[in-house]
Amino acid sequence: MPGRRKRVREPEDSDQSHDSEEEHSTRMTRRSLAVSNGIKDAPVVKRRRIAREPVISDSESEDPMNEQSKGSAISKGKSASYPGKVKIPPKKSSTKAKAKPLLNGNYDDDNIDSEDSQSVTGGFSERRLLPKTNYDETSAHCPLPGCDSKGHLSGRHESHRTLTSCPLFHNTSAEECKALSETQKQKHDKIMKARGKKPEITDDVKEHHRKHKEEHGSSRQPLISGLTSDYDYELFREAQSRACELLEHSMAQHFAKTDLQEYRIKMVEIGRYEINTWYSSPYPEEYARLPKIYLCEFCLKYMRTATILRRHMAKCLWRHPPGDEIYRKLNISVFEVDGKKNKVYCQNLCLLAKLFLDHKTLYFDVEPFLFYVMTENDSSGCHVVGYFSKEKNSFLNYNVSCILTLPHSMRKGYGKMLIDFSYLLSKAEEKIGSPERPLSDLGLLSYRSYWKDVLLEYLHKYKGNEISIKDLSQETAINANDIVSTLQALGMLKYWKGRHLVLKKQELIDGFLDKMNKRSPEHASKTIDASCLKWIPHSKRGSPT
C-alpha cells in the first residue's frame, strides 16, 4: 500500500500562507503525473508571465531516464527558494532568464538571448526604444538614448528634455551651443548699439529734403539719408539692391520666353484679387511685355504699376459699369452696356476676357454688340463677376456671342445665372436662342449642365402623356437641336416604329431633385427672378429723337 505524500517545509517558508503552497504543489503534481504516464512529446504550454508573481519554469529534460525521478521529486513537494513558490529541480536544458530593460530604453544583451527575447515579447524579435520619462515637470529627461539631458541647443539653458533642444541629436555639444550663443549675443548687442546712434534731424536736413522734392518731384526716389542710423541705412540699401536684381532677373526670364510664344501677361490684379492668366491677350506692346498689369475694377483701365493704380483709384469716380441697370435682386445686378456708346469700356472688357478665353476673336470692333455685365454689390461699389455679349441684330438668333465668369467668381453659381439671364432675355424678345459656336470647354460644360437641369425640371412638372420637342423649345426658349442633343446624352430619346419617343426616367428626375434639395442656402439663392427684370428689347425701342 503506497505511503502518504508528505509536505516538506523549509524554515524560510514558514511565513507564507498554506493556500499558496497547496496551489503550486497541486499544479506541479499534475504535470509530473502527465510526464510519468509517458506523455513525453506533448508540447510545453507557455504561460504568460504575470509581473506580480514571476514563476521560473524549465523545459522538459532531454534524458528520458530522468523523467521518473522528475515526477517523484515533484510529488514529494519540495518548495522553491522563493518564499511561497515551488521550484523545479534544475535540468540539463538552459533556464530562461527574465529580460531587464535598461533605464535608457535598451535591453541588457548579456542577460537575454534571441530565443528568450521572443518568448518575452510574444514571438516578435523587434526591440523598441522606450523613453525613460513621461515628460512630467518633476522628472524631465531627454528621450534620446545616451543623452544625459545636459545643455541646450540655444545655449541659454543648463538642461533640456526634448529632442528639439537636444545638442546631441543635432550633432553638436553643449559647449559648442553655449559658445555660439555668446557670439550671437555679442553680435546682437553690437547691432543694437549701432542702431541706437540716430542722427538729429535738424532744420537744414529738412530744408535739403524739401528742395530735392521740389526739384525732382516723383521722378526720383525721396532722400532717406540723415533720417535714421547708418546701420539701418546700409541695411536698406543692401535689401534694395537685392530686390532690384531679383526684379531684373524675373523680367529677363519673362522676355526670354518671347521666342516660344507671344508676349504674355502672367498675372492681373483687379480689386482685391490677383489672378493668374490662362492665355495671351493683345494689349498694347508696352503692357504685354510686363509680367503683371493692374486693372481698375470699375472702369477696367489697365495700368503698369501699383502706384499708378492707387493714384487712379483716388481720382476714379466710377463705382459701377456704365450703361443701364436692368436687373437687381438682393446684391446682384446686371448692367446693359452698349458697345457704341461705351466703346473704351467694352474694349477693355474684351481684352480682359481674352486672358481666360482661347477662342475669342473680338477685341476692338464692339459697336454692333450689347454687353450684359453682372456685378456683386457692396458698400464700396459694384464688382464685376462675369458678363456675356450678344449681337444687336443676329440673323441666326444667337442669344450669346461670348460669355465669361472671372476665375475668382467661378464655382459660385454665377455661370448658370448668366446663362439663365440670356434665355430670360430671349423669352422677353419672344425668340428661341442658342449660344454662338464654338464654345470653350468650360462653356460647353456649363451649358450642358444648364440644359439638363431645365429639361428635368420641366419634365418633373409636366403632367401630360405626350410632348413635342417644338412645344418644349417654345416653353424653355432653348433651341430644338440643343434639346435633342441633351436628351440623347441622358438616354431619354429613343427611335421606335418611325417615331421619336421621349422617355421620362424617374431615377434621373429623382437625382435632380435630391441635388436641388442638398444645395447650400447661399448657392440656392443664386437664381434669376423674372419679376426683377426691367428691360425693353432692343428691336422694340424707338429711335432717339
Side-chain angles (χ1 to χ4, degrees), residues 472-525:
L472 189 57
S473 177
Q474 292 290 341
E475 292 289 337
T476 60
I478 301 176
N479 189 277
N481 295 329
D482 299 333
I483 294 177
V484 171
S485 63
T486 305
L487 291 176
Q488 287 178 344
L490 295 175
M492 300 177 65
L493 189 64
K494 299 294 182 182
Y495 183 77
W496 185 70
K497 292 185 179 181
R499 298 179 59 190
H500 285 90
L501 302 178
V502 177
L503 303 179
K504 187 177 181 180
K505 292 187 177 182
Q506 192 61 36
E507 61 273 12
L508 293 178
I509 298 176
D510 293 340
F512 164 73
L513 295 177
D514 293 339
K515 185 183 73 172
M516 298 298 292
N517 294 331
K518 292 179 181 178
R519 292 187 305 174
S520 62
E522 181 181 0
H523 193 76
S525 62

Side-chain angles (χ1 to χ4, degrees), residues 257-264:
K257 295 182 179 180
T258 56
D259 297 335
L260 304 178
Q261 58 181 358
E262 296 180 356
Y263 292 114
R264 176 170 172 262

